[in-house]
Amino acid sequence: MQARKIYLSGGSTYIMSLPKKWVEKVGLKEGDTVFVMETQSSLIVELREKEEDNREIVIKTSRVETSEALEKLLISYYLIGYDTLKIILDHKEQLKYREVARHISEILIGVEIVEDTNEALTLEILLNERKLPTIKALRRIHMIVSSMLSELISVFKEGEKALAKDITIRENEVDRLYFLVVRQLKGAVRYSHLAEKLGISDPRDALGYRMVVKNFERVSDHCENISKTYLKLAENDIEDMREFAKILKLVSDAFQKASKSFFSLDMVAAQRVFYDMSEINAIHEKTLNKLFQSKIKANRAMLLKGIMDSLNRIASYSTDIAEIAINMSVDVPPK
């Protein structure tokens, strides 16, 4: 860190010099324009064209061991902010790698195949950050996860198998939005201009958003696990599953309270989530005891326990979200 003095020019303009080494490193010259973004406690000087340059990566499939590895690699490049992913199809199992590339265009938002030949396949990431800022994407994820929890309650109350199957489809949409938000947050940390487009005015918000979106995604995963387990159990009998609706309602309410406290940064509302956990824990323990004292088959008991474990994890993620809300609502100490 270097210290700089501020000078007053013309009675109204404050001037500060830029470090010479940095100016020479980035190739600035007299008359060039730089961009300044204000945060709560600092100013960020940036070359805007860096963020607007097309970032392209070329991947040779002959250097990627498996098609599964290619999928992970493409997702990583998407998350880190590349705009063009060119895949050279020089592996003998070309078809598998081509299928992975097409699958990526389905599971990642904004990815389009713009070139598809025998030798290469090019994916272009076409996104407009202003149309879906980060907080709006988070609200969209929350809305989907909330509906998944609501549908699970109906599934256990009414035995609606069709709803259980629909929850799996909704989980895929949560994953798509999750990857998008992670990409946005990684970009916002690197480029203040992009952060401004995404509506992120304070860098510390990016960390809070990153933790919350991961908790949202984990809750949706457990909703999917519960629905799949329900479908296995429902092949025989659903009578012993209806009592799960009560704890599901409590867990869903805790998730809603935690999410609401996060979006409103309401510390008092966030604290209430922790009070609700005592009732959830008591019912969780009571249900497990009743389950293992019953005379149902061992494999069925283990599946029901799996549902209880998932509900317990969702409740835990809700308290994590509430804790993040408390942390983000606290003012930064003055310097």
Side-chain angles (χ1 to χ4, degrees), residues 79 134 138 178 181-182 185-186 205-215 324:
L79 296 180
T134 303
L138 285 170
Y178 166 74
V181 170
V182 173
L185 295 175
K186 284 179 178 287
D205 289 347
L207 178 59
Y209 292 163
R210 178 67 180 88
M211 292 188 291
V212 166
V213 74
K214 185 60 181 175
N215 281 299
I324 294 165

PDB file of all heavy atoms in Angstrom, residues 79 134 138 178 181-182 185-186 205-215 324:
ATOM      1  N   LEU A  79     -17.928 -20.239 -14.513  1.00  0.00           N
ATOM      2  CA  LEU A  79     -17.999 -19.561 -13.219  1.00  0.00           C
ATOM      3  C   LEU A  79     -16.954 -18.460 -13.089  1.00  0.00           C
ATOM      4  O   LEU A  79     -17.218 -17.417 -12.487  1.00  0.00           O
ATOM      5  CB  LEU A  79     -17.824 -20.576 -12.080  1.00  0.00           C
ATOM      6  CG  LEU A  79     -18.906 -21.648 -11.938  1.00  0.00           C
ATOM      7  CD1 LEU A  79     -18.589 -22.567 -10.767  1.00  0.00           C
ATOM      8  CD2 LEU A  79     -20.283 -21.023 -11.755  1.00  0.00           C
ATOM      9  N   THR A 134     -27.932  -9.543  -9.230  1.00  0.00           N
ATOM     10  CA  THR A 134     -27.721 -10.639  -8.280  1.00  0.00           C
ATOM     11  C   THR A 134     -28.859 -10.788  -7.280  1.00  0.00           C
ATOM     12  O   THR A 134     -29.336 -11.901  -7.034  1.00  0.00           O
ATOM     13  CB  THR A 134     -26.391 -10.431  -7.535  1.00  0.00           C
ATOM     14  OG1 THR A 134     -25.329 -10.350  -8.498  1.00  0.00           O
ATOM     15  CG2 THR A 134     -26.108 -11.589  -6.604  1.00  0.00           C
ATOM     16  N   LEU A 138     -31.237 -14.036  -6.635  1.00  0.00           N
ATOM     17  CA  LEU A 138     -31.383 -14.667  -5.321  1.00  0.00           C
ATOM     18  C   LEU A 138     -32.853 -14.784  -4.926  1.00  0.00           C
ATOM     19  O   LEU A 138     -33.279 -15.804  -4.371  1.00  0.00           O
ATOM     20  CB  LEU A 138     -30.620 -13.867  -4.267  1.00  0.00           C
ATOM     21  CG  LEU A 138     -29.095 -14.013  -4.273  1.00  0.00           C
ATOM     22  CD1 LEU A 138     -28.456 -12.980  -3.356  1.00  0.00           C
ATOM     23  CD2 LEU A 138     -28.686 -15.416  -3.847  1.00  0.00           C
ATOM     24  N   TYR A 178     -28.091 -20.978  -9.513  1.00  0.00           N
ATOM     25  CA  TYR A 178     -26.955 -20.998  -8.579  1.00  0.00           C
ATOM     26  C   TYR A 178     -25.646 -20.741  -9.324  1.00  0.00           C
ATOM     27  O   TYR A 178     -24.834 -19.902  -8.917  1.00  0.00           O
ATOM     28  CB  TYR A 178     -26.901 -22.344  -7.853  1.00  0.00           C
ATOM     29  CG  TYR A 178     -25.598 -22.590  -7.125  1.00  0.00           C
ATOM     30  CD1 TYR A 178     -25.305 -21.928  -5.936  1.00  0.00           C
ATOM     31  CD2 TYR A 178     -24.652 -23.478  -7.639  1.00  0.00           C
ATOM     32  CE1 TYR A 178     -24.103 -22.144  -5.277  1.00  0.00           C
ATOM     33  CE2 TYR A 178     -23.453 -23.697  -6.988  1.00  0.00           C
ATOM     34  CZ  TYR A 178     -23.183 -23.032  -5.806  1.00  0.00           C
ATOM     35  OH  TYR A 178     -21.990 -23.235  -5.162  1.00  0.00           O
ATOM     36  N   VAL A 181     -25.403 -17.053 -10.354  1.00  0.00           N
ATOM     37  CA  VAL A 181     -25.081 -16.135  -9.259  1.00  0.00           C
ATOM     38  C   VAL A 181     -23.606 -16.245  -8.872  1.00  0.00           C
ATOM     39  O   VAL A 181     -22.937 -15.229  -8.631  1.00  0.00           O
ATOM     40  CB  VAL A 181     -25.987 -16.395  -8.035  1.00  0.00           C
ATOM     41  CG1 VAL A 181     -25.494 -15.613  -6.818  1.00  0.00           C
ATOM     42  CG2 VAL A 181     -27.422 -16.002  -8.354  1.00  0.00           C
ATOM     43  N   VAL A 182     -23.074 -17.460  -8.829  1.00  0.00           N
ATOM     44  CA  VAL A 182     -21.652 -17.634  -8.502  1.00  0.00           C
ATOM     45  C   VAL A 182     -20.792 -16.938  -9.553  1.00  0.00           C
ATOM     46  O   VAL A 182     -19.808 -16.264  -9.221  1.00  0.00           O
ATOM     47  CB  VAL A 182     -21.284 -19.127  -8.396  1.00  0.00           C
ATOM     48  CG1 VAL A 182     -19.772 -19.297  -8.224  1.00  0.00           C
ATOM     49  CG2 VAL A 182     -22.007 -19.766  -7.220  1.00  0.00           C
ATOM     50  N   LEU A 185     -20.943 -13.184  -8.915  1.00  0.00           N
ATOM     51  CA  LEU A 185     -20.199 -12.752  -7.727  1.00  0.00           C
ATOM     52  C   LEU A 185     -18.695 -12.805  -7.953  1.00  0.00           C
ATOM     53  O   LEU A 185     -17.958 -11.923  -7.500  1.00  0.00           O
ATOM     54  CB  LEU A 185     -20.591 -13.612  -6.526  1.00  0.00           C
ATOM     55  CG  LEU A 185     -22.046 -13.461  -6.070  1.00  0.00           C
ATOM     56  CD1 LEU A 185     -22.366 -14.449  -4.960  1.00  0.00           C
ATOM     57  CD2 LEU A 185     -22.323 -12.034  -5.604  1.00  0.00           C
ATOM     58  N   LYS A 186     -18.226 -13.825  -8.655  1.00  0.00           N
ATOM     59  CA  LYS A 186     -16.800 -13.891  -8.976  1.00  0.00           C
ATOM     60  C   LYS A 186     -16.397 -12.705  -9.850  1.00  0.00           C
ATOM     61  O   LYS A 186     -15.335 -12.101  -9.664  1.00  0.00           O
ATOM     62  CB  LYS A 186     -16.479 -15.210  -9.692  1.00  0.00           C
ATOM     63  CG  LYS A 186     -16.439 -16.432  -8.779  1.00  0.00           C
ATOM     64  CD  LYS A 186     -16.148 -17.691  -9.574  1.00  0.00           C
ATOM     65  CE  LYS A 186     -16.050 -18.915  -8.671  1.00  0.00           C
ATOM     66  NZ  LYS A 186     -14.806 -18.929  -7.886  1.00  0.00           N
ATOM     67  N   ASP A 205     -20.918  -7.403   0.621  1.00  0.00           N
ATOM     68  CA  ASP A 205     -22.194  -8.030   0.281  1.00  0.00           C
ATOM     69  C   ASP A 205     -21.979  -9.272  -0.576  1.00  0.00           C
ATOM     70  O   ASP A 205     -22.740 -10.241  -0.487  1.00  0.00           O
ATOM     71  CB  ASP A 205     -23.095  -7.045  -0.463  1.00  0.00           C
ATOM     72  CG  ASP A 205     -23.625  -5.941   0.445  1.00  0.00           C
ATOM     73  OD1 ASP A 205     -23.502  -6.086   1.679  1.00  0.00           O
ATOM     74  OD2 ASP A 205     -24.142  -4.939  -0.075  1.00  0.00           O
ATOM     75  N   ALA A 206     -20.947  -9.232  -1.430  1.00  0.00           N
ATOM     76  CA  ALA A 206     -20.677 -10.368  -2.320  1.00  0.00           C
ATOM     77  C   ALA A 206     -20.413 -11.634  -1.519  1.00  0.00           C
ATOM     78  O   ALA A 206     -20.869 -12.724  -1.888  1.00  0.00           O
ATOM     79  CB  ALA A 206     -19.489 -10.053  -3.229  1.00  0.00           C
ATOM     80  N   LEU A 207     -19.690 -11.513  -0.405  1.00  0.00           N
ATOM     81  CA  LEU A 207     -19.412 -12.680   0.432  1.00  0.00           C
ATOM     82  C   LEU A 207     -20.697 -13.211   1.059  1.00  0.00           C
ATOM     83  O   LEU A 207     -20.936 -14.426   1.083  1.00  0.00           O
ATOM     84  CB  LEU A 207     -18.406 -12.313   1.524  1.00  0.00           C
ATOM     85  CG  LEU A 207     -18.049 -13.426   2.518  1.00  0.00           C
ATOM     86  CD1 LEU A 207     -17.462 -14.628   1.789  1.00  0.00           C
ATOM     87  CD2 LEU A 207     -17.067 -12.908   3.567  1.00  0.00           C
ATOM     88  N   GLY A 208     -21.538 -12.304   1.556  1.00  0.00           N
ATOM     89  CA  GLY A 208     -22.809 -12.726   2.140  1.00  0.00           C
ATOM     90  C   GLY A 208     -23.699 -13.402   1.117  1.00  0.00           C
ATOM     91  O   GLY A 208     -24.299 -14.453   1.389  1.00  0.00           O
ATOM     92  N   TYR A 209     -23.785 -12.826  -0.086  1.00  0.00           N
ATOM     93  CA  TYR A 209     -24.596 -13.414  -1.155  1.00  0.00           C
ATOM     94  C   TYR A 209     -24.083 -14.808  -1.519  1.00  0.00           C
ATOM     95  O   TYR A 209     -24.868 -15.723  -1.783  1.00  0.00           O
ATOM     96  CB  TYR A 209     -24.569 -12.531  -2.399  1.00  0.00           C
ATOM     97  CG  TYR A 209     -25.258 -11.195  -2.259  1.00  0.00           C
ATOM     98  CD1 TYR A 209     -25.018 -10.164  -3.173  1.00  0.00           C
ATOM     99  CD2 TYR A 209     -26.152 -10.947  -1.222  1.00  0.00           C
ATOM    100  CE1 TYR A 209     -25.653  -8.934  -3.059  1.00  0.00           C
ATOM    101  CE2 TYR A 209     -26.786  -9.721  -1.097  1.00  0.00           C
ATOM    102  CZ  TYR A 209     -26.531  -8.721  -2.015  1.00  0.00           C
ATOM    103  OH  TYR A 209     -27.158  -7.508  -1.895  1.00  0.00           O
ATOM    104  N   ARG A 210     -22.752 -14.949  -1.546  1.00  0.00           N
ATOM    105  CA  ARG A 210     -22.157 -16.242  -1.928  1.00  0.00           C
ATOM    106  C   ARG A 210     -22.549 -17.333  -0.932  1.00  0.00           C
ATOM    107  O   ARG A 210     -22.869 -18.465  -1.328  1.00  0.00           O
ATOM    108  CB  ARG A 210     -20.626 -16.104  -1.986  1.00  0.00           C
ATOM    109  CG  ARG A 210     -19.889 -17.401  -2.334  1.00  0.00           C
ATOM    110  CD  ARG A 210     -20.198 -17.831  -3.751  1.00  0.00           C
ATOM    111  NE  ARG A 210     -19.508 -19.054  -4.111  1.00  0.00           N
ATOM    112  CZ  ARG A 210     -19.969 -20.278  -3.902  1.00  0.00           C
ATOM    113  NH1 ARG A 210     -21.153 -20.441  -3.323  1.00  0.00           N
ATOM    114  NH2 ARG A 210     -19.285 -21.337  -4.275  1.00  0.00           N
ATOM    115  N   MET A 211     -22.529 -17.009   0.350  1.00  0.00           N
ATOM    116  CA  MET A 211     -22.880 -18.004   1.369  1.00  0.00           C
ATOM    117  C   MET A 211     -24.372 -18.315   1.344  1.00  0.00           C
ATOM    118  O   MET A 211     -24.783 -19.472   1.492  1.00  0.00           O
ATOM    119  CB  MET A 211     -22.448 -17.502   2.749  1.00  0.00           C
ATOM    120  CG  MET A 211     -20.935 -17.431   2.925  1.00  0.00           C
ATOM    121  SD  MET A 211     -20.422 -17.056   4.618  1.00  0.00           S
ATOM    122  CE  MET A 211     -20.961 -15.345   4.764  1.00  0.00           C
ATOM    123  N   VAL A 212     -25.190 -17.295   1.125  1.00  0.00           N
ATOM    124  CA  VAL A 212     -26.641 -17.509   1.113  1.00  0.00           C
ATOM    125  C   VAL A 212     -27.066 -18.345  -0.087  1.00  0.00           C
ATOM    126  O   VAL A 212     -27.882 -19.265   0.043  1.00  0.00           O
ATOM    127  CB  VAL A 212     -27.392 -16.158   1.122  1.00  0.00           C
ATOM    128  CG1 VAL A 212     -28.862 -16.354   0.760  1.00  0.00           C
ATOM    129  CG2 VAL A 212     -27.290 -15.511   2.500  1.00  0.00           C
ATOM    130  N   VAL A 213     -26.516 -18.048  -1.266  1.00  0.00           N
ATOM    131  CA  VAL A 213     -26.932 -18.801  -2.453  1.00  0.00           C
ATOM    132  C   VAL A 213     -26.537 -20.271  -2.319  1.00  0.00           C
ATOM    133  O   VAL A 213     -27.252 -21.165  -2.794  1.00  0.00           O
ATOM    134  CB  VAL A 213     -26.348 -18.183  -3.746  1.00  0.00           C
ATOM    135  CG1 VAL A 213     -24.856 -18.479  -3.904  1.00  0.00           C
ATOM    136  CG2 VAL A 213     -27.105 -18.698  -4.968  1.00  0.00           C
ATOM    137  N   LYS A 214     -25.410 -20.537  -1.648  1.00  0.00           N
ATOM    138  CA  LYS A 214     -25.016 -21.929  -1.423  1.00  0.00           C
ATOM    139  C   LYS A 214     -25.996 -22.616  -0.483  1.00  0.00           C
ATOM    140  O   LYS A 214     -26.357 -23.781  -0.697  1.00  0.00           O
ATOM    141  CB  LYS A 214     -23.596 -21.988  -0.838  1.00  0.00           C
ATOM    142  CG  LYS A 214     -23.068 -23.415  -0.677  1.00  0.00           C
ATOM    143  CD  LYS A 214     -23.020 -24.136  -2.017  1.00  0.00           C
ATOM    144  CE  LYS A 214     -22.533 -25.561  -1.891  1.00  0.00           C
ATOM    145  NZ  LYS A 214     -22.590 -26.292  -3.179  1.00  0.00           N
ATOM    146  N   ASN A 215     -26.455 -21.908   0.540  1.00  0.00           N
ATOM    147  CA  ASN A 215     -27.446 -22.490   1.451  1.00  0.00           C
ATOM    148  C   ASN A 215     -28.779 -22.735   0.744  1.00  0.00           C
ATOM    149  O   ASN A 215     -29.427 -23.761   0.973  1.00  0.00           O
ATOM    150  CB  ASN A 215     -27.642 -21.576   2.662  1.00  0.00           C
ATOM    151  CG  ASN A 215     -26.536 -21.731   3.689  1.00  0.00           C
ATOM    152  OD1 ASN A 215     -26.341 -22.806   4.245  1.00  0.00           O
ATOM    153  ND2 ASN A 215     -25.798 -20.672   3.942  1.00  0.00           N
ATOM    154  N   ILE A 324     -26.117 -15.085   8.693  1.00  0.00           N
ATOM    155  CA  ILE A 324     -25.564 -14.206   7.655  1.00  0.00           C
ATOM    156  C   ILE A 324     -26.323 -12.879   7.635  1.00  0.00           C
ATOM    157  O   ILE A 324     -25.727 -11.804   7.485  1.00  0.00           O
ATOM    158  CB  ILE A 324     -25.639 -14.894   6.273  1.00  0.00           C
ATOM    159  CG1 ILE A 324     -24.728 -16.124   6.245  1.00  0.00           C
ATOM    160  CG2 ILE A 324     -25.232 -13.922   5.158  1.00  0.00           C
ATOM    161  CD1 ILE A 324     -25.005 -17.066   5.089  1.00  0.00           C
TER     162      ILE A 324
END
